[in-house]
Amino acid sequence: MNNLEALYRQVIMDHYKNPRNKGLVNDEKYKTVHIKNPSCGDDITIQSLIDNGSIKDVRHEGTGCSICCSSASVLSETLIGKTVVEANQITQTYLNMLSNKEYDEEVELEDAIAYQGVRKFPARVKCASISWKAFEETLKEE
Amino acid sequence: MDVKMIKKDFPVLNDNSLVYLDTAASSLKPIQVANKVNEYYLESGVNVHRGVYNLSYKTTELYENSRQIIADFIGAKFEEVIFTRGASASLNLVASSYGMDNIVEGDEIIVSELEHHSSVLPWMNVAKKKKAKLVYVPLTSEGRITVENFKKVITKKTKVVALNYVSNVMGYIAPVKEIIKIAHDFGAVVSVDAAQAVPHKAVDVKELDCDFLSFSAHKMCGPSGIGILYGKLDLLNNMEPIEFGGDMNDNVDLFEVSYKDSPYRFETGTPPIAQVIGFGEAVKYLENIGLDNILEHEFMLKEYVVNKMKQIKGITIYNESSDTGIIAFNIDGVHPHDAVTYFDGDNISMRAGHHCAQLIIKWLKVPATLRASFYLYNTIEDCDKFIESVKKARDFFTEVGF
Ligand SMILES: Cc1ncc(COP(=O)(O)O)c(C=O)c1O
């Protein structure tokens, strides 16, 4: 039998059905990063407004599976209000957690911790990572 | 056709719980092919065409014998069978050589939205570079290419027709024989993407009268990294090579070179020797079973599954009338990538995505689809497990709130 319950946690489904901070804005102050996974069709855009060393706003838009779309919503909710340093730490921790690398369990991942179960589904790690990779790109330019 | 016996030839299926429904991506490999490949590595390992010693001579014989087996298999002449990396490389060779040298501004190239990217993109490139026009055959409401619709787009300006024989998403068999005849009446050359055809049905290039035909070994029980371009000999011998180097030339001077005739003018460098030898064995394997039997079997499984799936609520099938073993479908409201993880949990291997065919996925107006494809080693039990899993998956996703 399947142990898919570990993957489709309630938090994840909630963000999938009721995404927060969805929809892009037409504002040059936002940094926009677009990532596409051509093999499965996931297509995500993350917009971030960074001001004075902190994340003022994150917007997202795209198409993809539930894991991919929900994680964009979770990302936005988790990172808005964080400093760039904190956001970077959370992003790295999250990505390390997903790819089964060592990660600092002390870092508070908030709702993003719900994606811990994705590790058991290696073929889906990409889905849960794509938004966060896009955000990581934003920070690289900072 | 004794599927129980056939299954035994595929060592990966010793795991009885595995239901493999992704043959349209790559077929599994029988032990006979694996052994033949191994035989080359263990008992030879030397180059072909180059050595004057006995072992190289013997290996070259084995290698070229594969070419003859494949030529006989599709009704071609030995010289008309070119080894490539696979169907994609074959389709590109036609576009890069024949296309680049013959297409001029204003010419028209007929393709379809039912093409694999490897069939349409090489011609999109030629069209852009040569300022020629890509023309799409209108598809029927089912998504089929028909002779009637083909007649609507063929004109005196058509120089090349590049169409698939069997669609890798919809499983439809296109009426290529009739299309080829009409195209020839208009003076156009036809390149057939037969990557999903040759593994599943008897194909005779002389009967079709196609100018070019491409396919891959890995979808027909053979090794990966090897495929075929068939071309009519008079066309091939008048085409420029697209790769230059060892083995493809006759005489080399400081500023001039003459090329060998087909097939060697298109085969520079050391070829994938083990793969070629394994490919010959794969063809023998399929011929033994009989291509007509294979098509009949996979079509029977497809009909069985479609009839059962139609009774399940919340499932959309996009190609009920598929002519082969391919079913494209979705669980309503569930992204195929989510669904495929459920099937994987039941040890059912299936493809989700756009199958390197974004044009037909866009035509269907869906983000992506699931695809189940059946082949000679699939059984009715596989079908039953699959149908059971479809039902459970639909229930699961409803339950978690999709
Ligand atoms: C219809 C069709 N054409 C072309 C190809 C390309 O084949 P290959 O990937 O072996 O080059 C495929 C398979 O992926 C296919 O299904």
Side-chain angles (χ1 to χ4, degrees):
Chain A
M1 219 337 251
N2 274 297
N3 56 345
L4 277 191
E5 282 79 7
L7 186 58
Y8 293 100
R9 303 269 304 274
Q10 216 174 348
V11 187
I12 295 180
M13 286 312 298
D14 181 39
H15 277 271
Y16 178 49
K17 295 310 255 186
N18 313 296
R20 335 284 202 257
N21 308 306
K22 192 173 157 96
L24 302 180
V25 291
N26 204 350
D27 183 342
E28 284 189 353
K29 292 206 285 293
Y30 282 73
K31 285 216 166 119
T32 304
V33 180
H34 175 208
I35 299 196
K36 217 175 149 88
N37 177 356
S39 71
C40 65
D42 286 356
D43 185 323
I44 288 285
T45 303
I46 300 286
Q47 279 188 325
S48 328
L49 179 64
I50 301 176
D51 185 34
N52 208 3
S54 68
I55 317 294
K56 297 288 185 231
D57 193 16
V58 179
R59 311 287 309 174
H60 62 94
E61 184 62 75
T63 52
C65 64
S66 62
I67 301 299
C68 165
C69 293
S70 64
S71 68
S73 169
V74 169
L75 175 146
S76 67
E77 209 171 58
T78 310
L79 297 185
I80 292 174
K82 299 288 188 299
T83 66
V84 167
V85 175
E86 287 166 341
N88 192 25
Q89 193 183 31
I90 292 172
T91 304
Q92 293 316 320
T93 306
Y94 176 87
L95 290 173
N96 284 340
M97 171 180 87
L98 283 191
S99 51
N100 257 333
K101 292 195 189 122
E102 262 185 52
Y103 68 99
D104 185 352
E105 293 188 31
E106 297 297 308
V107 175
E108 179 53 69
L109 291 180
E110 301 175 21
D111 277 0
I113 194 76
Y115 292 84
Q116 212 171 18
V118 177
R119 286 183 295 183
K120 294 205 201 76
F121 301 88
R124 300 301 295 283
V125 168
K126 244 192 207 160
C127 315
S129 312
I130 184 166
S131 310
W132 292 80
K133 294 253 184 206
F135 182 77
E136 198 184 25
E137 280 303 307
T138 315
L139 290 187
K140 270 188 196 146
E141 295 164 15
E142 271 300 294
Chain B
M1 201 171 116
D2 186 346
V3 184
K4 291 262 145 52
M5 287 304 290
I6 289 174
K7 247 186 112 159
K8 291 206 178 95
D9 289 335
F10 293 79
V12 66
L13 294 176
N14 284 344
D15 169 5
N16 234 326
S17 72
L18 174 64
V19 177
Y20 187 73
L21 301 183
D22 198 19
T23 294
S26 263
S27 78
L28 303 176
K29 323 298 179 207
I31 187 76
Q32 290 86 341
V33 170
N35 284 343
K36 197 75 186 178
V37 169
N38 229 7
E39 193 182 301
Y40 164 75
Y41 284 122
L42 298 180
E43 294 172 23
S44 172
V46 306
N47 214 317
V48 289
H49 296 309
R50 293 175 181 181
V52 256
Y53 45 91
N54 191 38
L55 190 56
S56 176
Y57 179 80
K58 282 235 155 86
T59 305
T60 303
E61 236 181 13
L62 202 59
Y63 169 89
E64 290 298 350
N65 187 42
S66 264
R67 195 188 311 266
Q68 189 63 56
I69 291 170
I70 296 160
D72 293 343
F73 179 58
I74 59 168
K77 296 187 195 120
F78 179 89
E79 296 80 9
E80 295 174 323
V81 171
I82 299 163
F83 290 128
T84 66
R85 273 184 297 109
S88 300
S90 306
L91 294 159
N92 271 283
L93 201 169
V94 178
S96 302
S97 175
Y98 186 88
M100 282 304 193
D101 287 341
N102 290 283
I103 297 286
V104 296
E105 185 167 348
D107 284 350
E108 293 181 357
I109 302 162
I110 294 182
V111 293
S112 86
E113 286 162 276
L114 205 48
E115 298 315 303
H116 188 280
H117 294 158
S118 294
S119 172
V120 63
L121 296 186
W123 292 107
M124 197 182 283
N125 179 46
V126 171
K128 284 211 170 109
K129 293 217 163 108
K130 297 289 174 182
K131 298 199 173 66
K133 194 171 151 204
L134 270 194
V135 176
Y136 286 85
V137 184
L139 302 180
T140 64
S141 58
E142 266 190 328
R144 282 179 187 271
I145 298 167
T146 58
V147 174
E148 200 189 345
N149 283 356
F150 177 73
K151 282 182 184 159
K152 291 180 191 159
V153 290
I154 181 115
T155 72
K156 286 253 148 55
K157 289 188 190 159
T158 309
K159 289 288 153 58
V160 168
V161 175
L163 293 174
N164 71 86
Y165 198 163
V166 174
S167 155
N168 67 314
V169 178
M170 305 298 266
Y172 297 147
I173 300 177
V176 290
K177 190 175 166 190
E178 295 83 344
I179 284 174
I180 289 163
K181 193 168 177 311
I182 298 165
H184 286 166
D185 288 344
F186 281 81
V189 158
V190 183
S191 168
V192 178
D193 173 2
Q196 299 288 351
V198 175
H200 303 277
K201 71 190 293 293
V203 171
D204 185 315
V205 292
K206 293 299 166 205
E207 195 201 318
L208 286 179
D209 198 27
C210 54
D211 300 289
F212 301 104
L213 184 121
S214 305
F215 56 103
S216 292
H218 68 94
K219 293 186 201 284
M220 47 189 291
C221 297
S224 50
I226 183 74
I228 299 294
L229 172 63
Y230 157 82
K232 282 183 180 162
L233 196 54
D234 54 334
L235 285 172
L236 292 176
N237 278 335
N238 285 303
M239 275 161 57
E240 288 285 313
I242 57 167
E243 289 184 326
F244 304 84
D247 301 314
M248 50 77 72
N249 45 261
D250 278 331
N251 183 45
V252 179
D253 284 326
L254 281 179
F255 300 105
E256 285 306 326
V257 55
S258 60
Y259 308 127
K260 285 183 178 151
D261 281 341
S262 180
Y264 304 111
R265 65 163 52 205
F266 301 105
E267 296 177 352
T268 186
T270 298
I273 302 165
Q275 287 83 336
V276 166
I277 293 170
F279 194 3
E281 193 66 20
V283 166
K284 285 207 284 195
Y285 182 82
L286 293 180
E287 277 185 320
N288 249 331
I289 294 164
L291 270 291
D292 293 341
N293 294 331
I294 293 172
L295 181 60
E296 190 186 332
H297 174 71
E298 62 178 59
F299 182 74
M300 181 271 290
L301 296 180
K302 180 237 104 181
E303 289 280 281
Y304 178 83
V305 169
V306 165
N307 283 329
K308 297 239 164 170
M309 279 174 87
K310 279 192 338 200
Q311 293 160 27
I312 308 175
K313 277 211 182 70
I315 304 292
T316 302
I317 305 172
Y318 302 107
N319 61 341
E320 276 182 23
S321 70
S322 167
D323 305 310
T324 56
I326 293 178
I327 304 175
F329 71 103
N330 269 321
I331 302 177
D332 299 345
V334 180
H335 192 282
H337 221 180
D338 287 312
V340 87
T341 299
Y342 190 94
F343 294 113
D344 195 24
D346 281 352
N347 214 5
I348 298 174
S349 307
M350 225 177 6
R351 179 92 186 260
H354 34 55
H355 322 295
C356 306
Q358 289 185 31
L359 298 178
I360 191 66
I361 296 298
K362 286 178 183 162
W363 185 89
L364 286 168
K365 298 193 172 63
V366 292
T369 77
L370 292 162
R371 178 183 69 188
S373 50
F374 297 89
Y375 205 27
L376 71 168
Y377 35 64
N378 291 117
T379 59
I380 287 284
E381 290 81 65
D382 289 346
C383 297
D384 288 334
K385 278 189 198 165
F386 168 66
I387 290 156
E388 207 40 50
S389 193
V390 171
K391 282 188 207 154
K392 284 191 305 173
R394 181 209 50 192
D395 292 345
F396 170 80
F397 287 109
T398 310
E399 213 166 280
V400 296
F402 269 78

